[in-house]
Amino acid sequence: MLGMMMDQPLLISSLIEHAARFHGDTEIVSRETDRSLFRYTYADASARAKRIAKALQRLGTAPGDRVGTLAWNSHRHFELYYGISGTGRVLHTINPRLFPDQLRYIINHAADQILFIEPSFVGLVEKLVPDLPTVRHYVIMAPKALMPATSLPNALCYEDLIEAETPELEWPRFDEQSASSLCYTSGTTGNPKGALYSHRSTVLHAFGSCAADMLGVGAADCVLPVVPMFHVNAWGIPYSCPLAGAKLVLPGQHLDGESLCTLFDQEGVTFSLGVPTIWLGALKYADETGKGFSSIKRVIIGGSAAPPSMIEAFDKKHGVRAVHAWGMTEMSPLGTAACLKARHAAASPEAITRVLCSQGRPSFLVDLKITDEAGERLPHDGVAVGNLYVRGPWVVRGYYNDPDASAEAFDAEGWFKTGDVCSIDPDGYVRITDRSKDVIKSGGEWISSIDLENAAVGHPDVAEAAVIGLAHPRWDERPLLIIVPKEGRTIDKPAIMSFLADKVAKWWLPDDIAVVEQLPHTATGKLLKTKLRQDFADYKLPTA
Ligand code: ADP
């Protein structure tokens, strides 16, 4: 017997429609390249999204066609999120920090028909044009007066396209399983792989992410996503804020500590999200000036492991709850978030810190398991460490047009292999110890590079740290700690060693410390350990 409820497809257009109807005067603030602030409302954004949707039809695109964007977190980018996907076209957000070869690869692999480009990326795209046979139109996301001189063929002006249309449009109704957007993983080896999200997965993810123990976004919030809209949809914020009716502040291209903190205070931001490197800059500015966190209540830290010293600094110095979260492009991206349970009311401060420093518990609809090398399940006892697998309605079931990568990504039961290594405790809290390819295997046991790095950045002289395993004749591999000192500080190696001594097991202590000026990062701000391993391939450990 079937239930008797309305059969209404979960479509992305319903999010902006809801915001325009019931939060029509709630503001969206967008910082322009010249740092001026542009302000309008959900009702305005909805009308302009409809106009751009009509412009896309006029430019000859059909449902299912891919339309690319190279853009910052800006109001025009927000309009494209709905203008492109709302009528069944597929929004392909492109990470401009990828290497030119990767950009060529993904634009051709996606077969983008139109590229929307913010002026600061025009030079980048001009160099690629000869190799982009599928692209028929280049649209520059600027008003007429600010159109840059460009060699892009027949460059169109975004505001001209908007001007030419009226906002009368009923968003079409179609299958909720239709593709809505496409995002490529930056991939440290091999070609980038495309995660192709659906309307259904995106709406469910938006719903899930608003839950109190995930992002907990509500209509009283003012949200500033520092995480880019060109990488995993800014962790879904452009969808969850309209769902919740939250004010949205889009920071554009200036993401240094001062620029962010100024905007936080000016706009009364209550909630923000970013990777650890972004928070390093903001915390430094706030420490020096006492500004930046006057209205913020919560921040989300994810994308790489948040060092406990950072979570503590937010709490102790600024009264901000830092929520550590974990996810992946392939998971839309949210998987877990570190919020407390009722029982923690009676827990010791140390126990609470330990919970808050974990990657957190899974969201409803995200299922997790860990396995040993043979694929056998390991217990969720907080001790066993194994390969992490996930499944759920916002997890990919394959990669876009990539049968080889798809074949390798799942186990026989259809679970997605994350490539992360972790423990899961009986309460569901995940503790990621490594990427599987970064695990350091010493004498048959594993050393967590993340734990060592977290301990090292707790030292006041250390700005950033990376740990890699180097070949060792006796132990197979031993850890080398590579440190970037804080400005004006010098690294006293014995002092660092004794600082680490009571924070990790004795046999985990690095065999040596190297000091460098900077560490290599991927296009999404993660430590590029493949490059570090190459750079240090000939390094001789004193113990070897
Ligand atoms: P990329 O394009 O760089 O692959 P993803 O966002 O998909 O971008 O990267 C996902 C990976 O980032 C995860 O598999 C994990 O290794 C790492 N990661 C994300 N959040 C955390 C976290 N809170 N702690 C540790 N690692 C994290």
Side-chain angles (χ1 to χ4, degrees), residues 192-412:
K193 294 171 286 197
L196 184 61
Y197 312 113
S198 69
H199 284 258
R200 174 186 155 81
S201 71
T202 305
V203 172
L204 287 175
H205 180 266
F207 240 120
S209 70
C210 283
D213 278 1
M214 290 304 287
L215 305 187
V217 185
D221 272 312
C222 173
V223 183
L224 188 152
V226 190
V227 286
M229 289 165 73
F230 56 68
H231 186 60
V232 226
N233 307 323
W235 299 352
I237 284 294
Y239 303 115
S240 46
C241 282
L243 182 153
K247 174 178 168 182
L248 191 53
V249 181
L250 300 168
Q253 73 183 87
H254 306 289
L255 304 177
D256 57 283
E258 179 174 3
S259 303
L260 286 175
C261 287
T262 309
L263 205 50
F264 289 152
D265 284 345
Q266 268 175 12
E267 293 301 320
V269 171
T270 58
F271 178 53
S272 183
L273 312 86
V275 295
T277 33
I278 284 293
W279 294 125
L280 271 184
L283 283 169
K284 182 165 180 282
Y285 180 80
D287 283 346
E288 287 164 5
T289 62
K291 296 184 191 150
F293 295 116
S294 60
S295 49
I296 293 210
K297 296 190 179 70
R298 272 172 314 129
V299 297
I300 297 275
I301 314 176
S304 322
S309 51
M310 178 175 282
I311 294 174
E312 227 172 327
F314 268 115
D315 180 33
K316 301 244 155 66
K317 292 193 192 161
H318 305 286
V320 172
R321 169 53 60 89
V323 179
H324 192 196
W326 166 87
M328 304 182 74
T329 303
E330 288 89 336
M331 300 176 69
S332 301
L334 291 172
T336 62
C339 290
L340 299 173
K341 290 189 171 182
R343 77 169 65 181
H344 296 121
S348 67
E350 295 73 36
I352 290 179
T353 304
R354 192 169 147 67
V355 172
L356 295 180
C357 293
S358 77
Q359 274 75 8
R361 286 179 279 118
S363 162
F364 170 60
L365 295 181
V366 173
D367 198 4
L368 308 176
K369 70 169 180 181
I370 44 175
T371 69
D372 63 15
E373 288 307 307
E376 292 301 321
R377 282 197 190 221
L378 293 170
H380 294 188
D381 58 5
V383 178
V385 170
N387 296 309
L388 175 60
Y389 287 80
V390 294
R391 63 180 179 193
W394 59 74
V395 178
V396 293
R397 61 175 166 81
Y399 288 107
Y400 176 61
N401 260 350
D402 199 336
D404 292 344
S406 301
E408 285 172 11
F410 302 88
D411 73 1

Side-chain angles (χ1 to χ4, degrees), residues 95 98 183-188 193 197 231-232 235 276 301-306 324-331 333 336 357-360 388 416 418-421 432-438 450 522-526:
N95 184 342
L98 294 175
C183 179
Y184 284 79
T185 62
S186 37
T188 48
K193 294 171 286 197
Y197 312 113
H231 186 60
V232 226
W235 299 352
I301 314 176
S304 322
H324 192 196
W326 166 87
M328 304 182 74
T329 303
E330 288 89 336
M331 300 176 69
T336 62
C357 293
S358 77
Q359 274 75 8
L388 175 60
F416 174 74
T418 65
D420 286 326
V421 173
I432 307 261
T433 54
D434 256 311
R435 292 291 291 164
S436 57
K437 51 186 188 295
D438 297 334
I450 292 182
T522 68
T524 52
K526 298 180 168 61

Side-chain angles (χ1 to χ4, degrees), residues 442-469:
S442 173
E445 303 278 349
W446 288 0
I447 295 176
S448 161
S449 62
I450 292 182
D451 285 356
L452 268 175
E453 287 156 7
N454 280 345
V457 293
H459 190 280
D461 293 339
V462 176
E464 210 184 351
V467 175
I468 55 171

